[in-house]
Amino acid sequence: MTATTDIPTFEAARRRPGERRRSRIILTLLLSLFLVYSFVPLVYLVLSATKTNGDLFTTFGFGFGTNFNLWQNLSDLLARDNGIFMRWMFNSVLYSTAAGLGAAIFATAAGYAFAKFKFVGRKLLFALVLGAVMIPQTALVVPIFLLLALSGLSDNPLGVILPSMISPIGVYLMRVYIDQGVDDELLDAARLDGAGEFVIFRAIVLRLVAPGMVTVALLSFVGTWNNYFLPLIVLRSQAYQPITVGLATWYQLAQQGGGGGQVLFSIIITGALVSIIPVIVVFLLLQRFWQGGLTAGAIK
Amino acid sequence: MAMSNSPAAATRPARWGGFTSRKLAPYLFLAPFVLLFIAFIVAPLVYAFYMSLYRDTLVGGRHFAGAASYIKVAGDAKFWGGVWNLVLFGIVQVPIMLGLALLFAIVLDRGQVYAKGVFRLGFFLPYAVPSVISTIIWGYLYGPNFGPFTQIAKAFNLPPPDFLSPGAMIFSLANIVTWEYVGYNMVIYYAALMAIPSDLAEAARMDGASPWQFARLIQLPLLWPAILLTIIFSINGTLQLFNEPYLMRALAGNTINSSYTPNLYAYSLATQNQQYGYAAAVSFVLGIVIAGASYIFTLITNRRRPEQ
């Protein structure tokens, strides 16, 4: 990635220095406008999280309130409804982590089978996987809900976790990854040494394709963390709901206004801020893997 | 680790682990994925299809109705009204979103700006915010209660902008979606641009091509697969729109009714009206509409592909 910055770019080589600098400044300003747009809602969120409920109404939205109320808001948030907020956060972490790990392991195992073995039904099965990539996710939600209701798994966290572990795009990515990154001769050598197939998978393949697995885990983790439609329809008990569903319920309650709903505004805003921090941290730490996943989809 | 094995396996002699398990191995490696695939993709679709052939009535219970539900969807003004809303939405929103993403990717790829890394990360950051949270934040920004835009208008004695009126709602929703996904699409384009060999730029320069000609004649055709992919993703995502309008209903229940988008409609049929069979049929038809739209789009673009 850094290599390209050292090569004189098309632009750099063509124009004279003065002209180049002027266009640089203009383009930087233009992009800065959009950067402001990207950050406005987030800045608003941070500022609002420091205000009392009253200040939300009486002070300017893009300024500070009369009191710095962030700590009080946080403690109100954690106390609200017997601490249900932390429960929702915990559920989100649990579901997303389980989905990320499961998707990465299952997609790698399946991708390995497609990449390195010949077996009956290989082509047909892979075509099915590719077809599944194109199935609209939300068109599956109502059918999953109907089936879960039939099988008694409705209002069960497994009804959210298990479907989230299926990653057809992950199988595709891992197949390509293993095709390119794992040498057949290495596998055959291990077989000659007497290693069983599972040992080869665990000791050689998993190690070689770990970066690809992180990408698949990340895609599923973020997808599950952000998911709303599936948990909304599957999970009825508040105690099982993830943060997206919980906060949205508070939001709707506050908007209806009744039953102390108004007091909720500052709590919801603080909750929204707290809830996006884990994903942003994961994003920043694993940026490299993110790009890997998107790139593989774009090139091919 | 689901796949772990006893330590003894490593020391087994070749004859034991080698031949027979190599034939069996692919099936075992595929098993977890395939089982989940059957349980949560194939089975729900089969069961929902079965349900869609039956009809729930309050008095008579459930009885077989054949294709009646599908015939009903085909003529259901609420369903097609939702689809039409999203077609209008997509025509406005998708070109703006992808156009901006493409422009930013090209500018960042050429290194024509200062602080490139800040822009790349900053544009992408909204994608890390769950759409539910994005909608809540924008909802407050739009809101007539304490929304800053209302505050600004009032400070200047102007009429406050009504982002939630029936005419403005589609743009307010389009803005939320654009905010969320410009960075995501930009990263896809950016990655595809990085894969273009740098000596192409050099060759174009030697031939005296302008930066604009280089973008149009060389970069755009090479980016075409990535652009197609993002358009198909966007068509898919648009027709499935649910979270944003569902939450905006709390602010503007009169503007956004229960069939504003097809997914909202299926949701309310399944959860509020308990019309399971009909909800399933609506989901199926939506799936077909989405697949059909993607397919037709691919056909059209394959015919007139930019020259290389």
Side-chain angles (χ1 to χ4, degrees):
Chain A
M1 227 177 289
T2 44
T4 49
T5 51
D6 297 326
I7 303 165
T9 59
F10 180 75
E11 206 61 12
R14 190 170 181 276
R15 298 217 187 152
R16 279 170 320 202
E19 195 186 341
R20 216 167 70 211
R21 203 162 138 216
R22 211 179 53 219
S23 90
R24 259 192 154 206
I25 292 171
I26 293 169
L27 282 170
T28 306
L29 286 176
L30 271 175
L31 261 61
S32 301
L33 279 180
F34 198 81
L35 197 67
V36 169
Y37 168 72
S38 297
F39 274 96
V40 156
L42 299 175
V43 169
Y44 172 77
L45 185 68
V46 173
L47 287 171
S48 300
T50 69
K51 293 181 184 179
T52 62
N53 206 57
D55 276 355
L56 278 180
F57 289 88
T58 53
T59 62
F60 181 49
F62 294 124
F64 280 102
T66 49
N67 300 311
F68 187 81
N69 207 46
L70 177 64
W71 312 123
Q72 184 59 45
N73 285 344
L74 279 172
S75 89
D76 288 348
L77 171 71
L78 298 183
R80 183 88 196 183
D81 294 350
N82 301 316
I84 191 88
F85 180 81
M86 282 317 282
R87 175 80 207 208
W88 290 335
M89 285 295 276
F90 171 79
N91 290 342
S92 277
V93 171
L94 178 72
Y95 302 165
S96 310
T97 310
L101 287 177
I105 292 170
F106 299 156
T108 307
Y112 177 51
F114 283 123
K116 296 295 179 191
F117 292 89
K118 301 243 177 295
F119 54 91
V120 181
R122 179 166 171 257
K123 275 192 176 161
L124 177 73
L125 208 55
F126 194 65
L128 272 176
V129 170
L130 283 188
V133 173
M134 291 313 289
I135 296 178
Q137 281 304 306
T138 59
L140 271 172
V141 169
V142 169
I144 287 176
F145 165 71
L146 297 176
L147 187 71
L148 290 175
L150 178 80
S151 61
L153 264 179
S154 67
D155 203 26
N156 185 325
L158 286 178
V160 172
I161 296 174
L162 293 177
S164 306
M165 285 181 171
I166 312 169
S167 174
I169 187 83
V171 174
Y172 170 76
L173 288 178
M174 291 316 293
R175 182 196 175 153
V176 173
Y177 207 94
I178 292 170
D179 253 338
Q180 292 167 353
V182 179
D183 205 343
D184 284 336
E185 285 166 26
L186 191 65
L187 300 178
D188 286 337
R191 284 187 187 113
L192 281 179
D193 283 349
E197 292 298 334
F198 282 111
V199 176
I200 293 174
F201 178 69
R202 201 184 52 191
I204 300 174
V205 179
L206 284 190
R207 254 171 231 174
L208 287 174
V209 301
M213 286 179 76
V214 176
T215 302
V216 175
L218 187 62
L219 289 171
S220 292
F221 179 93
V222 174
T224 309
W225 188 282
N226 293 354
N227 202 346
Y228 177 65
F229 197 16
L230 182 67
L232 172 74
I233 200 166
V234 168
L235 301 172
R236 292 274 137 204
S237 312
Q238 271 210 324
Y240 289 148
Q241 287 169 350
I243 192 69
T244 47
V245 179
L247 272 181
T249 312
W250 275 356
Y251 174 74
Q252 288 162 326
L253 207 68
Q255 227 52 55
Q256 287 155 12
Q262 293 267 308
V263 190
L264 270 171
F265 284 129
S266 58
I267 294 179
I268 294 164
I269 286 174
T270 312
L273 178 63
V274 175
S275 77
I276 60 175
I277 291 171
V279 198
I280 290 183
V281 169
V282 167
F283 259 72
L284 295 182
L285 289 179
L286 300 177
Q287 256 193 87
R288 188 159 67 88
F289 298 102
W290 235 129
Q291 292 211 333
L294 297 179
T295 317
I299 297 174
K300 77 177 170 187
Chain B
M1 293 285 274
M3 297 296 164
S4 72
N5 210 345
S6 64
T11 54
R12 269 177 199 155
R15 257 170 294 152
W16 213 95
F19 190 72
T20 42
S21 81
R22 193 170 173 182
K23 284 205 156 159
L24 209 72
Y27 298 104
L28 293 176
F29 285 128
L30 279 168
F33 175 79
V34 169
L35 287 179
L36 284 175
F37 189 85
I38 291 170
F40 292 101
I41 293 185
V42 179
L45 288 177
V46 170
Y47 179 63
F49 183 69
Y50 162 82
M51 290 276 284
S52 70
L53 300 179
Y54 284 78
R55 195 167 162 189
D56 300 292
T57 49
L58 283 176
V59 218
R62 178 172 300 163
H63 54 85
F64 186 77
S69 287
Y70 291 92
I71 292 166
K72 195 172 152 198
V73 181
D76 189 338
K78 284 183 170 177
F79 175 77
W80 294 108
V83 172
W84 181 239
N85 279 340
L86 292 181
V87 169
L88 291 180
F89 175 96
I91 288 172
V92 178
Q93 191 265 335
V94 174
I96 292 177
M97 172 180 72
L98 296 184
L100 286 173
L102 187 60
L103 178 74
F104 296 155
I106 289 177
V107 170
L108 289 180
D109 175 63
R110 290 190 186 172
Q112 284 168 308
V113 287
Y114 296 102
K116 197 170 113 175
V118 175
F119 288 115
R120 225 179 55 210
L121 200 63
F123 292 168
F124 190 53
L125 204 57
Y127 184 67
V129 180
S131 58
V132 166
I133 308 292
S134 312
T135 310
I136 290 177
I137 305 172
W138 278 106
Y140 286 141
L141 287 170
Y142 293 150
N145 292 331
F146 54 87
F149 299 112
T150 305
Q151 288 175 333
I152 293 172
K154 278 185 179 160
F156 290 99
N157 277 325
L158 294 166
D162 188 358
F163 297 106
L164 307 174
S165 68
M169 180 53 82
I170 214 150
F171 299 101
S172 301
L173 287 172
N175 172 56
I176 300 177
V177 178
T178 304
W179 183 77
E180 291 171 325
Y181 290 104
V182 163
Y184 169 86
N185 289 294
M186 182 196 75
V187 170
I188 294 182
Y189 296 149
Y190 187 76
L193 281 170
M194 301 261 289
I196 297 177
S198 55
D199 49 346
L200 266 182
E202 182 60 22
R205 188 185 67 81
M206 302 288 258
D207 287 348
S210 75
W212 165 245
Q213 284 173 319
F214 178 64
R216 195 166 54 88
L217 298 173
I218 295 178
Q219 287 182 312
L220 219 52
L222 287 173
L223 271 182
W224 197 239
I227 293 173
L228 274 186
L229 189 82
T230 54
I231 293 176
I232 288 179
F233 279 175
S234 304
I235 292 175
N236 252 298
T238 301
L239 289 170
Q240 294 183 61
L241 206 65
F242 176 81
N243 298 354
E244 293 85 356
Y246 179 71
L247 284 173
M248 287 300 266
R249 273 189 88 179
L251 288 181
N254 293 330
T255 306
I256 300 182
N257 55 29
S258 65
S259 57
Y260 194 77
T261 76
N263 260 332
L264 263 181
Y265 189 39
Y267 171 78
S268 63
L269 285 171
T271 57
Q272 275 133 48
N273 306 352
Q274 263 87 43
Q275 295 186 344
Y276 295 137
Y278 194 53
V282 166
S283 279
F284 264 105
V285 177
L286 175 62
I288 292 164
V289 167
I290 293 173
S294 304
Y295 183 67
I296 290 169
F297 173 77
T298 328
L299 276 189
I300 294 172
T301 48
N302 272 347
R303 212 172 293 160
R304 47 174 109 158
R305 202 188 149 102
E307 285 159 39
Q308 217 139 350

